């Protein structure tokens, strides 16, 4: 109405706004400009904590540090040359690749199969989802010790269960082939749930419209899985393959707790051979050189798989390369 004055602002609200503005003005400009740099300090500390031991290990590999040699000599690339010319290294490399390929392949197939079963909405499936993560909650070395006891030829529960079928008394970890297969079995028991969880998350993120159209057209289960489910699920599966293959290449705990690299050198993977050289035989530089070679192999394999994953993701999203 004409002649009416505007209401005065509330005292409390005005005081709070004034205090907030004064607080903002009280922060110096140099402190605001410093905040982004402070946020990256934890990342820099973590990076330094990773790179310093790695660089120190590289430094040790150009010498011949050993318990029997207090004054090491500079050998340059002599440790690497010695490793690459040893038949033992190539035997360990063959065992490592066989273990990694076998474990990753079996876990991928079983993980996807379990995910497809759990994807069906049912009360049993929801219960099994909770049970699925139990092996992941057990340390791999503990799981290997458990399986070592179960695989004992005379008192193990596995042979006891197989005895009615005439398969008792099998020497599971006492033969080269049996020891490798037993190690892969333990790895499969521990890490198949990891692949299944990733695949199940991928299945639940797939769009429903293509499957509804396929059902309307009368497509069968195998055709739908081969032409729709698997191509769209493949990026998620490949992520699981990358993680499992990379982790299997540098396996130590499962095999060492189960067979300690035996019988003979049948399960002597590169990690265990590096441990024996550096710790048991106390040839420090030589053992570290083994680890650097293994790191280089894992790095190159991972880079190839990650690039392939990028192409698969672009193809799935229909993004031109």
């Amino acid at each position: 109405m004409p002649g009416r004055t505007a209401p005065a602002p509330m005292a409390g609200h005005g005081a709070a706004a004034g205090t907030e503005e004064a607080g903002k003005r009280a922060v110096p400009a140099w402190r605001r400009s410093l905040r982004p740099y402070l946020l990256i300090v934890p990342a820099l500390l973590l990076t330094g904590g990773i790179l310093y031991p790695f660089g120190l290990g590289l430094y040790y590999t150009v010498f011949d540090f050993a318990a029997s040699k207090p004054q090491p000599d500079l050998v340059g690339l002599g440790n690497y040359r010695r490793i690459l010319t040893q038949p033992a290294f190539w035997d360990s490399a063959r065992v490592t690749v066989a273990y990694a390929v076998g474990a990753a392949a079996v876990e991928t197939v079983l993980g996807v199969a379990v995910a497809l079963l759990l994807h069906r909405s049912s009360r049993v499936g929801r219960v099994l989802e909770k049970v699925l993560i139990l092996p992941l909650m057990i340390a791999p070395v503990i799981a290997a010790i458990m399986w070592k006891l179960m695989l004992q030829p005379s008192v193990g529960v596995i042979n006891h269960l197989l005895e009615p079928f005439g398969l008792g008394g099998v020497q599971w970890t006492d033969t080269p082939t049996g020891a490798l297969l037993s190690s892969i079995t333990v790895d499969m028991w521990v890490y198949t749930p990891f692949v299944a969880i990733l695949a199940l998350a991928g299945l639940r993120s797939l769009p429903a419209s293509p499957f509804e159209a396929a059902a309307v057209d009368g497509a069968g289960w195998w055709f739908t899985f081969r032409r729709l489910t698997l191509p769209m699920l493949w990026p998620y599966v490949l992520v699981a393959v990358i993680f499992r293959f990379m982790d299997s290449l540098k396996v130590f705990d499962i095999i060492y707790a189960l067979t300690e690299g035996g019988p003979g050198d049948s399960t002597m993977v590169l990690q265990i051979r590096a441990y024996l050289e550096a710790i048991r035989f106390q040839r420090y530089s030589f053992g570290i050189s083994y680890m650097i070679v293994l790191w280089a192999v894992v790095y190159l394999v991972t880079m190839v798989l990650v690039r392939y994953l990028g192409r698969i993701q672009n193809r799935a999203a229909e993004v031109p390369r």
Side-chain angles (χ1 to χ4, degrees):
M1 295 177 61
R4 178 178 295 181
T5 59
M10 295 178 63
H13 178 74
T19 303
E20 183 178 355
E21 293 179 0
K24 289 182 179 179
R25 289 195 299 268
V27 179
W30 66 270
R31 287 180 57 184
R32 288 198 297 270
S33 62
L34 192 61
R35 285 175 181 172
Y37 300 99
L38 293 176
L39 292 175
I40 66 172
V41 169
L44 291 177
L45 293 176
L46 180 61
T47 304
I50 294 173
L51 292 181
Y52 175 74
F54 182 77
L56 191 61
L58 284 175
Y59 171 76
Y60 284 154
T61 60
V62 300
F63 292 89
D64 56 352
F65 285 97
S68 60
K69 196 167 188 180
Q71 300 297 329
D73 297 324
L74 180 65
V75 295
L77 299 178
N79 287 319
Y80 300 104
R81 191 180 305 112
R82 181 182 168 192
I83 286 174
L84 296 177
T85 55
Q86 276 190 343
F89 167 78
W90 296 106
D91 290 340
S92 294
R94 177 184 54 80
V95 174
T96 303
V97 172
Y99 179 89
V101 171
V106 173
E107 290 162 13
T108 300
V109 173
L110 290 181
V112 173
V114 171
L116 290 171
L117 292 175
L118 295 181
H119 186 53
R120 300 175 178 272
S121 298
S122 65
R123 185 174 302 176
V124 176
R126 288 192 293 270
V127 172
L128 290 178
E129 285 182 33
K130 311 302 186 293
V131 178
L132 192 65
I133 64 173
L134 290 179
L136 294 174
M137 300 171 63
I138 301 175
V141 64
I142 302 300
I145 293 173
M146 291 167 46
W147 276 87
K148 186 175 183 178
L149 294 175
M150 292 191 296
L151 293 173
Q152 286 292 326
S154 56
V155 298
V157 66
I158 302 297
N159 279 344
H160 178 72
L161 294 175
L162 294 177
E163 191 172 354
F165 304 97
L167 300 175
V170 179
Q171 306 291 327
W172 294 103
T173 59
D174 294 337
T175 62
T177 303
L180 183 60
L181 293 179
S182 299
S183 302
I184 293 176
T185 301
V186 178
D187 196 294
M188 175 193 69
W189 184 82
V190 175
Y191 291 110
T192 295
F194 171 78
V195 180
I197 290 171
L198 284 181
L200 184 60
L203 285 171
R204 290 176 175 172
S205 67
L206 299 182
S209 54
F211 299 96
E212 294 172 354
V216 170
D217 292 339
W221 177 88
W222 175 245
F223 180 87
T224 303
F225 173 76
R226 185 166 54 92
R227 295 303 182 106
L228 292 178
T229 306
L230 191 58
M232 290 190 289
L233 187 64
W234 183 239
Y236 300 91
V237 175
L238 190 57
V239 170
V241 170
I242 291 174
F243 275 101
R244 289 306 314 133
F245 187 71
M246 180 178 61
D247 200 38
S248 298
L249 281 176
K250 51 189 182 65
V251 66
F252 175 82
D253 43 10
I254 290 177
I255 294 182
Y256 190 79
L258 189 65
T259 65
E260 295 188 13
D265 290 343
S266 58
T267 57
M268 186 67 68
V269 293
L270 289 174
Q271 284 269 41
I272 295 181
R273 192 170 292 279
Y275 165 79
L276 295 177
E277 292 288 348
I279 305 301
R280 183 170 296 181
F281 305 145
Q282 297 182 344
R283 296 193 284 259
Y284 309 121
S285 294
F286 195 59
I288 295 173
S289 299
Y290 259 99
M291 295 307 303
I292 296 298
V293 171
L294 178 59
W295 169 84
V297 172
V298 173
Y299 178 79
L300 292 175
V301 171
T302 304
M303 290 298 297
V304 172
L305 291 176
V306 168
R307 288 185 179 181
Y308 179 66
L309 173 62
R311 290 198 296 267
I312 292 295
Q313 289 175 334
N314 291 339
R315 193 179 309 164
E318 297 182 354
V319 177
R321 291 182 292 173

